[in-house]
């Protein structure tokens, strides 16, 4: 039986043109690990699953202030320890890159994966407009099976 957690974002986050940005969530609901937690939350899987996990997640993101016709890119990225107490890129998953026309957009992304021991998964976004855009809200649902 899979475990489940839900991430919520309701605080604005800047999305600069041409820059990959990790999606920051403020709330996670995870009954298996203490109920509801708040803070700056980036990793969907891997914080508590030290030996890795199988995972399946979907995320929906609302963005405003996009340049008309700007491409938005969204993907899952795996990180691993860098040896100095931080994190480094380990593997990018395929990107979805929809284009919007009206300055605001609603974007979704799903991915399934086999997370290696010690790694974490984040959602990252980039937009190719002329000015900064704003991530207004996001929700992610994650089903995972710890190894």
């Amino acid at each position: 039986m899979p475990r489940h957690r839900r991430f919520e974002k309701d605080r604005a986050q800047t999305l600069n043109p041409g820059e990959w940005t990790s999606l920051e969530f403020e709330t996670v609901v995870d009954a298996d690990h203490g109920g509801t937690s708040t803070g700056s939350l980036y990793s969907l899987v891997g914080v508590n699953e030290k030996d890795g996990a199988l995972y399946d997640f979907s995320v929906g993101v609302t963005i405003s202030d996009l340049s008309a016709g700007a491409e938005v890119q969204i993907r899952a990225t795996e990180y691993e320890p860098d040896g100095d107490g931080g994190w480094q890129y380990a593997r990018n998953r395929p990107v979805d890159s929809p284009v919007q026309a009206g300055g605001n957009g609603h974007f979704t992304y799903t991915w399934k994966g086999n997370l290696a021991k010690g790694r974490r998964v984040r959602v990252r976004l980039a937009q190719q407009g002329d000015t900064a855009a704003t991530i207004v809200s996001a929700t992610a649902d994650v089903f995972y099976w710890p190894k």
Side-chain angles (χ1 to χ4, degrees):
M1 184 74 167
R3 296 182 180 174
H4 173 261
R5 57 176 69 113
R6 185 182 76 247
F7 292 82
E8 297 289 339
K9 173 178 197 48
D10 56 11
R11 192 168 52 220
Q13 183 178 356
T14 301
L15 188 57
N16 290 316
E19 227 176 78
W20 283 100
T21 300
S22 291
L23 188 56
E24 179 184 10
F25 294 93
E26 289 82 40
T27 305
V28 61
V29 179
D30 184 349
D32 293 319
H33 292 100
T36 301
S37 301
T38 58
S40 292
L41 309 162
Y42 294 95
S43 298
L44 301 180
V45 182
V47 174
N48 295 309
E49 299 75 39
K50 305 293 185 198
D51 292 326
L54 298 173
Y55 65 90
D56 183 354
F57 79 84
S58 59
V59 62
V61 182
T62 302
I63 302 174
S64 66
D65 307 321
L66 287 161
S67 302
E71 175 186 12
V72 173
Q73 298 171 323
I74 185 168
R75 71 172 0 142
T77 298
E78 293 182 11
Y79 286 83
E80 63 188 3
D82 66 5
D84 291 323
W87 294 90
Q88 65 187 6
Y89 154 83
R91 176 168 60 172
N92 278 322
R93 296 307 199 162
V95 69
D96 186 22
S97 57
V99 174
Q100 58 73 46
N104 297 313
H106 307 276
F107 306 94
T108 60
Y109 182 81
T110 62
W111 192 254
K112 298 166 182 52
N114 184 357
L115 187 65
K117 181 179 181 174
R119 288 191 177 177
R120 294 182 177 182
V121 176
R122 291 183 177 187
V123 175
R124 294 192 317 148
L125 296 108
Q127 58 96 4
Q128 306 305 323
D130 298 323
T131 60
T134 304
I135 302 170
V136 177
S137 64
T139 299
D141 273 290
V142 182
F143 292 92
Y144 61 100
W145 298 259
K147 292 181 183 175

